[in-house]
Amino acid sequence: MRTVKMVHHHLFPLVLILLWNPVYSAPEQIDCCVCGSLELRSPKGLQPNIYPSPFQVLVKEKQYAPGGLSINVNITSLDNTRTFVHFMLQAVFIKQDGSISSDDSVGEFINLDEDKYTTVKDCGTSAVKSVDRLKKSLIRFSWKNGDVKNKGHIKFRATIVEDGGTNYWVRELSHPVEDVNLPPLDMRPNKQPLIPVINTEECGRVKGCYRVPEGCWEPYCDYIATWRKTAGNSYEIELGAMTDGVTDRYVAMAISDDIRWGDDVVLQCVHNGTSKETQVNVGRSVDDHSTVLEEQRVQDNAIIGPTEGPLGQIWGKRLRCRFIVSTGAIPGFPEGDKHILMSRGGASNGVSQRHGHGVGEIPVATPDQVSLQENHNVGDFARFSLVKAHGILMILAWAFFGTTGLLWTKYYKTMWPNKRFYGERYWFVAHFNCMVMLVLLVVIAFIIIFVEVGGYSRADYLPYEAHPILGIIIFCCILLNPIIALLRPAEDHKCRPVVNWIHWFFGTVGWCLAIPNMFIGMDFGKAMVPWWATWILCIYILYHIIVEITLEVHQCCTHKKNKERRKKYEFQKRDNPKVRIPEPEPAGRVFKRNMLFVHFIITCIVNLIMLIAIAAS
């Protein structure tokens, strides 16, 4: 019974870690897809890939007749090395200009392959999706519109999930297939003149540029802003960004004294998917979001005037605008050297929405201040040094001193029984120093992040909303625990077990909350932690859990033998009270020493990699 209680006592923190940390939960099953929008139903947090898809929806026919012959439709990989596991395919009617007229599916699909797919009956007429997890590079269907009264030009579109489950593309379109009974489509390029690609060869010579990533060609830039002084007191501004393909999107440029979004002059290029128009708004940013005050349409005032051709456009997945700004019309634009900030995100009816807090969602800023009166060519983005310092200190606190201190107190109390360091056992010295360092690092990191955000950090959605809340709870636990340890009564006091359990409780709660909170923190855009570093930390935490389980099993296996040795020692001590008898060495001590050594070396290596990854990214 005593052995069972001991096992329960040591494994309880591990169970809590597994419950709290979403990394260790069973992976969510991807359900593709939502009817109409073709979005993934799960898992939450995944975002569609905004770059060109390696998979294509291919249709050979250019025309069809309702009630006539079938059309062959394929989803194929353009790169034989890349495969997909999930998809949803539908046919939708399009308008005369080629835009989607309705999300309702039309026609019926017949599977030409032997793989398992299913017909979805709740998406209008029909759609098809995968029900297996087989890797595919080509799937073939036959489609037919059997209702002669259901007329209209069509396009086929599909959401495709690449093998691995984290990379997917939404609503990839085929070329249009025209209904022979209707007038032909009017998709002439000159119907609405296209804005020319932003010329990056002129950057640094003819005009100033800010590009992310550095040196990118405009079609492949995540963000791009250019400026050029024109005749009079005016500037020609070009803004562009890669979007996720959804039509209601914006890209914004802010002129700021610092690298933080808020209370700055903002120019926004916003595409309205309902009106099919692209507009430019001007105003001031608010807090950490893209909400803009004093939004004004270009046509309603003389602050911004368009150059020849359309003011802006969304073409494919690129949103771009080109316009002229009158320097005297906008207060503070441009005045001296400033940081240029760029943001992108969703919009609704021509109004920008709040940007996110994750990687790729927060605004980027020039590392140094630049003057719009000079043709700078900037290609890097500013780092948030205090945020990185906070992350580094927390990683050191919990992934180094926390894991090491836990092992000493849980599994090494009986080791080196006859040796002391300044009168204290080795385990106590190691545990005490690790916990002191942990508390100091957490307190410093806590102060740093409060200075960085200017108080309490607010996020309006999970999991980011939980990070500061969990951080405060963890902070309280690590402050209370050393106080409880200092106030503990003597070992033979009747209240000592109760105080020990309280000490254990606060330590366990702090540890179990710190693990998921580290993963949430690493996902913040300001931390700029590379994705592979998150996986390294995840693997290390799993490794630490395996080490604890291994030591737990080893402790159970040697419990009986150590109990007999201890009992024999007590008898000898009682029979020879005046003789100093050394305490017995625990069974399995060589194995435990080796485990401690290996764990320490791996912990040092992982922490070194993590610190370099956070600092250098």
Side-chain angles (χ1 to χ4, degrees):
M1 180 64 69
R2 183 175 177 182
T3 303
V4 173
K5 288 182 179 179
M6 181 179 62
V7 173
H8 178 269
H9 169 79
H10 289 300
L11 285 179
F12 185 66
L14 300 180
V15 174
L16 281 179
I17 290 174
L18 292 173
L19 291 176
W20 272 101
N21 191 353
V23 175
Y24 307 128
S25 58
E28 287 190 74
Q29 293 296 320
I30 292 179
D31 185 6
C32 179
C33 299
V34 177
C35 294
S37 69
L38 267 66
E39 296 281 357
L40 291 190
R41 296 183 188 273
S42 60
K44 296 178 181 178
L46 285 181
Q47 296 296 324
N49 198 308
I50 62 176
Y51 292 99
S53 171
F55 311 106
Q56 203 171 43
V57 182
L58 296 180
V59 183
K60 183 178 180 181
E61 289 78 2
K62 302 292 184 181
Q63 293 180 324
Y64 85 104
L69 299 176
S70 299
I71 297 175
N72 290 330
V73 185
N74 299 343
I75 300 179
T76 183
S77 172
L78 301 178
D79 182 354
N80 291 331
T81 63
R82 303 181 73 169
T83 58
F84 57 95
V85 290
H86 297 288
F87 70 90
M88 187 170 188
L89 175 66
Q90 65 174 174
V92 291
F93 283 131
I94 58 175
K95 299 178 183 178
Q96 202 67 16
D97 62 357
S99 61
I100 305 299
S101 63
S102 171
D103 287 333
D104 293 336
S105 304
V106 296
E108 296 181 355
F109 289 92
I110 298 175
N111 178 22
L112 299 180
D113 295 320
E114 296 180 358
D115 296 331
K116 297 178 181 178
Y117 308 112
T118 185
T119 301
V120 183
K121 293 296 185 183
D122 59 344
C123 298
T125 307
S126 69
V128 288
K129 69 174 183 179
S130 59
V131 295
D132 58 48
R133 297 187 60 85
L134 298 175
K135 296 180 180 180
K136 315 168 185 67
S137 59
L138 172 66
I139 52 173
R140 302 178 302 151
F141 291 99
S142 174
W143 177 88
K144 182 177 182 180
N145 182 3
D147 187 356
V148 294
K149 297 181 180 180
N150 204 13
K151 298 180 181 180
H153 305 306
I154 63 167
K155 281 184 180 180
F156 295 92
R157 64 180 186 177
T159 288
I160 306 167
V161 182
E162 190 173 11
D163 180 28
T166 58
N167 214 15
Y168 71 100
W169 290 261
V170 177
R171 296 179 293 276
E172 291 294 312
L173 291 169
S174 70
H175 68 71
V177 181
E178 298 185 10
D179 188 335
V180 296
N181 301 312
L182 297 177
L185 292 170
D186 185 8
M187 298 175 63
R188 293 169 295 173
N190 60 353
K191 185 179 179 182
Q192 183 180 8
L194 294 177
I195 292 182
V197 173
I198 297 174
N199 189 349
T200 54
E201 293 183 358
E202 297 177 346
C203 290
R205 297 185 296 105
V206 179
K207 58 187 176 184
C209 296
Y210 177 40
R211 293 179 283 173
V212 177
E214 185 174 4
C216 60
W217 182 40
E218 191 262 347
Y220 295 96
C221 291
D222 290 337
Y223 300 91
I224 183 169
T226 74
W227 58 92
R228 180 173 62 89
K229 198 168 187 350
T230 59
N233 295 323
S234 300
Y235 286 86
E236 184 183 64
I237 304 293
E238 296 173 306
L239 300 179
M242 182 74 79
T243 70
D244 56 9
V246 181
T247 55
D248 285 50
R249 285 293 180 261
Y250 82 92
V251 55
M253 168 186 172
I255 310 298
S256 176
D257 292 322
D258 53 37
I259 62 173
R260 292 168 178 80
W261 189 268
D263 196 26
D264 305 314
V265 176
V266 175
L267 302 173
Q268 282 191 339
C269 170
V270 187
H271 185 77
N272 190 326
T274 303
S275 65
K276 308 298 182 185
E277 294 180 354
T278 303
Q279 63 195 47
V280 173
N281 298 332
V282 61
R284 300 191 73 83
S285 58
V286 179
D287 297 328
D288 292 329
H289 306 291
S290 299
T291 304
V292 178
L293 298 176
E294 308 171 19
E295 290 184 327
Q296 302 174 27
R297 287 292 301 272
V298 176
Q299 292 82 349
D300 298 334
N301 56 75
I303 293 178
I304 305 171
T307 58
E308 295 182 1
L311 183 69
Q313 252 174 2
I314 188 166
W315 186 259
K317 294 183 178 181
R318 288 215 65 84
L319 174 62
R320 60 172 70 97
C321 284
R322 182 178 285 110
F323 50 92
I324 291 177
V325 180
S326 245
T327 56
I330 304 177
F333 180 89
E335 290 182 358
D337 293 350
K338 302 282 186 178
H339 287 279
I340 295 177
L341 284 75
M342 296 201 70
S343 175
R344 66 185 177 188
S348 177
N349 296 321
V351 179
S352 63
Q353 303 297 301
R354 297 186 173 191
H355 61 71
H357 302 280
V359 177
E361 296 176 336
I362 66 166
V364 295
T366 55
D368 302 307
Q369 292 185 340
V370 299
S371 172
L372 296 188
Q373 298 177 4
E374 299 179 15
N375 295 330
H376 297 278
N377 188 12
V378 187
D380 198 4
F381 50 85
R383 271 72 173 175
F384 295 85
S385 301
L386 292 182
V387 175
K388 287 184 172 291
H390 171 80
I392 287 172
L393 292 177
M394 285 299 187
I395 291 291
L396 275 175
W398 294 105
F400 185 83
F401 292 108
T403 55
T404 305
L406 278 176
L407 285 189
W408 276 97
T409 192
K410 292 171 70 174
Y411 304 107
Y412 288 87
K413 287 184 177 181
T414 59
M415 293 291 288
W416 301 284
N418 300 299
K419 295 182 179 180
R420 299 291 186 271
F421 185 82
Y422 287 95
E424 298 291 345
R425 289 180 178 269
Y426 284 3
W427 77 266
F428 180 80
V429 174
H431 176 71
F432 177 81
N433 283 281
C434 284
M435 294 302 105
V436 167
M437 289 301 301
L438 184 147
V439 172
L440 288 176
L441 292 176
V442 170
V443 170
I444 296 172
F446 196 77
I447 295 172
I448 285 175
I449 204 63
F450 259 75
V451 172
E452 163 66 24
V453 300
Y456 180 77
S457 175
R458 289 181 174 87
D460 51 4
Y461 62 96
L462 293 173
Y464 306 109
E465 187 179 12
H467 187 74
I469 298 172
L470 293 177
I472 292 174
I473 296 173
I474 294 166
F475 184 73
C476 293
C477 288
I478 65 106
L479 282 185
L480 286 172
N481 226 22
I483 296 173
I484 294 171
L486 290 173
L487 297 178
R488 274 191 301 191
E491 290 189 8
D492 56 352
H493 195 279
K494 63 179 181 179
C495 294
R496 179 63 178 253
V498 176
V499 177
N500 285 345
W501 275 104
I502 295 174
H503 179 71
W504 171 87
F505 173 79
F506 282 109
T508 300
V509 170
W511 167 252
C512 294
L513 294 181
I515 298 302
N517 216 32
M518 280 195 296
F519 286 101
I520 296 174
M522 292 172 66
D523 197 43
F524 272 93
K526 285 186 176 181
M528 299 180 185
V529 180
W531 63 268
W532 51 264
T534 304
W535 280 106
I536 288 178
L537 183 62
C538 174
I539 294 170
Y540 171 73
I541 296 298
L542 289 174
Y543 161 76
H544 177 78
I545 292 174
I546 293 171
V547 169
E548 287 210 25
I549 293 174
T550 303
L551 290 173
E552 194 70 57
V553 172
H554 179 268
Q555 197 156 284
C556 291
C557 293
T558 58
H559 174 72
K560 184 176 180 181
K561 187 177 292 186
N562 285 327
K563 185 178 179 181
E564 292 174 353
R565 291 185 181 184
R566 189 70 189 178
K567 189 175 180 180
K568 183 179 179 180
Y569 166 74
E570 294 294 340
F571 281 140
Q572 290 177 341
K573 187 177 179 182
R574 185 184 61 188
D575 294 339
N576 303 279
K578 295 183 180 182
V579 179
R580 185 185 179 282
I581 301 174
E583 293 186 36
E585 295 286 343
R589 56 189 176 277
V590 175
F591 174 79
K592 295 180 76 171
R593 287 173 186 165
N594 292 336
M595 285 291 290
L596 181 63
F597 176 76
V598 172
H599 183 274
F600 179 75
I601 296 298
I602 292 178
T603 298
C604 290
I605 294 173
V606 168
N607 276 266
L608 181 62
I609 293 173
M610 291 299 300
L611 300 191
I612 295 174
I614 296 174
S617 60

